[in-house]
Amino acid sequence: MPNIASSAVKVPRSRIRELADIAMKMDHVLKLYFGESNIPTPEYIKRAATKALEEGYTYYTENAGLPGLRQDLADYYRRVQEVDLDPRSEIVVTASGVQALNVTIRCVLNPGDEGLVLTPAWPNAAANIWMDNAVPKEIPLLLRGDHYAVDFDSLEAAVTPRTRLLVYTSPSNPLGWVATEEEQEGLLEFARHHNLWLLADEVYERLYYQGPELGDPAPSILRKTNRDDPVIVAQSFSKTFCMTGWRIGWLVARRDLGEKATQLNEFIISHPASFIQRAAQAALAQGEDELRSMIARLKKNRDFCLAALRQMGGMTVPSPDGAFYLFPRIEGLTDSFAFCRKLLEETHVGLAPGVAFGAGGEGSVRICYAAEKGILEQAMERLARFLSKRLI
Ligand SMILES: Cc1ncc(COP(=O)(O)O)c(C=O)c1O
């Protein structure tokens, strides 16, 4: 009997999905375990998709995406990040953020290579490294006071002749950590010095609470780079425009990598659906106002949950500067999956176990606060009661 390839066997199961599978068999669960808001996609985006279908956007497009959408993305970067990009060679439209990770990691790793991943992190980058027959090495961020920070000493110690990639996510899922300017410069210097590709997952770019004005983006690494730097940005419409089910994103990369990713995508997805690319153009053109009101609402949710958790005691709750997660570290907790399972079964509150996010994650739980305020209030109340008689 032929076997499943070892590169596939090595990919671990998602522990978030494992928890969700239990929750989905239950009724009336307060679902805070997935990274998704319950806001539906705005109407103007849905209308743009329908209109595109009527206009005949039902055929193949360029592998890199519609030229108009790539131009709009270049304009977006100029407007939002003050960065100039060449839409023809440095931007590739992908079928989601995770597909951007998949194709770029595929482009830079050879079998047996190593990829450094800053953790705790959404597990998909590490899983993609495994899928390429390469090896992820997780380097935990350090909790200093109430903020996480990059551990440059551990990064230096982890580099070997096989290391070719460093992946980080800012704003971070699950930490809400946002790389400071010094950290961005340090990571870039580190990548240049060791000849590594630096892959920045910036899908939460617009969910940022520390800018001069609410709604300003987290500064992209692209502000620091020149176009010859070995830097890749993975991006998505999912979080910014409430489009998780549409599966559309993009990548920004040095020209040679952009060309290779475009070519490989021919054999993976060819390109995202044409009418959805048109809907993405509408999102970029008209999305700012709704986006800003969503961020204001998320900030209120964040502040509410942060205060509620800190009042419960028995945990350290780092201050998040972006994304829509809190990642409290619960005192004495050694099995976050068992904790989340018991919490789910006893109270119907669904959280993601910290162990799902790799090194440094065990002992914490992730709470997605993108739900309605009423749901968050109930969840915080039940969590407080559960913790007050905690047996785990
Ligand atoms: C850090 C991070 N990157 C990428 C993604 C992928 O987003 P999508 O594949 O929906 O575009 C997610 C989704 O949860 C995420 O949390």
Side-chain angles (χ1 to χ4, degrees):
M1 267 244 290
N3 294 326
I4 304 286
S6 59
S7 58
V9 170
K10 279 184 205 144
V11 180
R13 268 172 61 83
S14 161
R15 308 263 3 235
I16 312 173
R17 178 59 65 180
E18 205 176 322
L19 201 282
D21 283 346
I22 304 170
M24 281 170 182
K25 295 196 188 89
M26 297 168 56
D27 290 327
H28 310 301
V29 172
L30 305 178
K31 297 185 189 109
L32 309 184
Y33 44 72
F34 282 149
E36 179 168 65
S37 85
N38 55 358
I39 307 173
T41 305
E43 285 304 317
Y44 70 88
I45 299 178
K46 293 188 206 163
R47 277 198 301 276
T50 315
K51 183 160 172 274
L53 283 171
E54 283 161 2
E55 286 173 354
Y57 282 89
T58 58
Y59 299 98
Y60 289 132
T61 72
E62 291 77 355
N63 286 146
L66 290 167
L69 174 53
R70 279 180 280 150
Q71 182 62 56
D72 290 350
L73 284 165
D75 295 344
Y76 170 86
Y77 272 101
R78 195 165 307 117
R79 173 164 56 84
V80 169
Q81 296 283 3
E82 295 173 17
V83 165
D84 279 317
L85 296 172
D86 176 4
R88 280 158 310 181
S89 60
E90 293 171 323
I91 299 175
V92 180
V93 182
T94 60
S96 74
V98 68
Q99 206 260 310
L101 292 177
N102 178 274
V103 71
T104 49
I105 293 174
R106 181 71 194 77
C107 284
V108 301
L109 290 183
N110 294 311
D113 282 346
E114 292 167 1
L116 306 176
V117 183
L118 296 192
T119 58
W122 190 58
N124 292 36
N128 270 290
I129 293 172
W130 282 124
M131 284 198 282
D132 289 327
N133 247 319
V135 182
K137 273 197 182 171
E138 299 180 338
I139 313 294
L141 287 128
L142 296 177
L143 185 55
R144 295 212 175 102
D146 74 344
H147 272 81
Y148 279 91
V150 178
D151 181 355
F152 283 100
D153 292 339
S154 295
L155 272 176
E156 284 291 348
V159 176
T160 75
R162 294 306 311 251
T163 313
R164 286 180 46 87
L165 171 69
L166 167 58
V167 188
Y168 75 100
T169 306
S170 169
S172 150
N173 170 8
L175 303 177
W177 162 77
V178 178
T180 61
E181 269 203 68
E182 297 77 54
E183 285 175 324
Q184 283 185 329
E185 282 160 12
L187 290 168
L188 192 55
E189 241 357 273
F190 179 82
R192 285 174 180 151
H193 177 72
H194 291 289
N195 244 329
L196 310 180
W197 286 95
L198 182 63
L199 170 49
D201 181 334
E202 297 189 346
V203 309
Y204 295 96
E205 171 204 28
R206 299 306 303 274
L207 308 187
Y208 181 55
Y209 311 109
Q210 303 300 109
E213 268 186 52
L214 200 55
D216 290 350
S220 170
I221 188 75
L222 295 169
R223 290 188 187 184
K224 302 264 172 217
T225 58
N226 64 57
R227 297 286 80 86
D228 293 324
D229 275 318
V231 169
I232 306 160
V233 169
Q235 261 285 14
S236 172
F237 288 82
S238 285
K239 317 289 172 174
T240 308
F241 301 106
C242 304
M243 292 176 73
T244 48
W246 296 65
R247 315 312 298 138
I248 182 136
W250 73 91
L251 64 90
V252 177
R254 204 176 68 192
R255 180 174 304 248
D256 54 340
L257 193 133
E259 277 165 18
K260 189 40 91 176
T262 301
Q263 185 218 339
L264 291 201
N265 256 359
E266 168 67 17
F267 311 113
I268 306 174
I269 44 128
S270 300
H271 59 76
S274 16
F275 67 98
I276 289 175
Q277 295 188 53
R278 291 291 289 165
Q281 285 186 270
L284 291 173
Q286 299 171 54
E288 278 305 310
D289 290 348
E290 285 202 40
L291 172 56
R292 280 167 196 265
S293 55
M294 177 174 81
I295 295 163
R297 194 180 66 88
L298 287 173
K299 183 168 187 288
K300 282 193 189 137
N301 286 357
R302 179 196 72 155
D303 294 345
F304 166 74
C305 291
L306 200 54
L309 291 169
R310 285 186 173 156
Q311 216 176 5
M312 286 175 213
M315 62 177 88
T316 310
V317 199
S319 292
D321 294 335
F324 45 37
Y325 307 103
L326 290 165
F327 201 62
R329 187 180 282 181
I330 298 175
E331 279 166 21
L333 185 63
T334 52
D335 187 344
S336 55
F337 190 87
F339 178 91
C340 287
R341 186 182 189 137
K342 204 163 171 35
L343 176 75
L344 174 69
E345 287 167 351
E346 287 189 10
T347 72
H348 287 216
V349 174
L351 305 184
V355 67
F357 303 94
E362 185 53 290
S364 299
V365 294
R366 187 190 73 177
I367 300 170
C368 175
Y369 56 79
E372 282 144 21
K373 182 81 182 298
I375 293 179
L376 296 175
E377 280 168 356
Q378 285 184 59
M380 289 300 117
E381 217 177 280
R382 292 185 203 176
L383 178 62
R385 233 178 302 132
F386 179 81
L387 283 170
S388 68
K389 56 179 175 74
R390 182 174 146 207
L391 299 170
I392 193 161

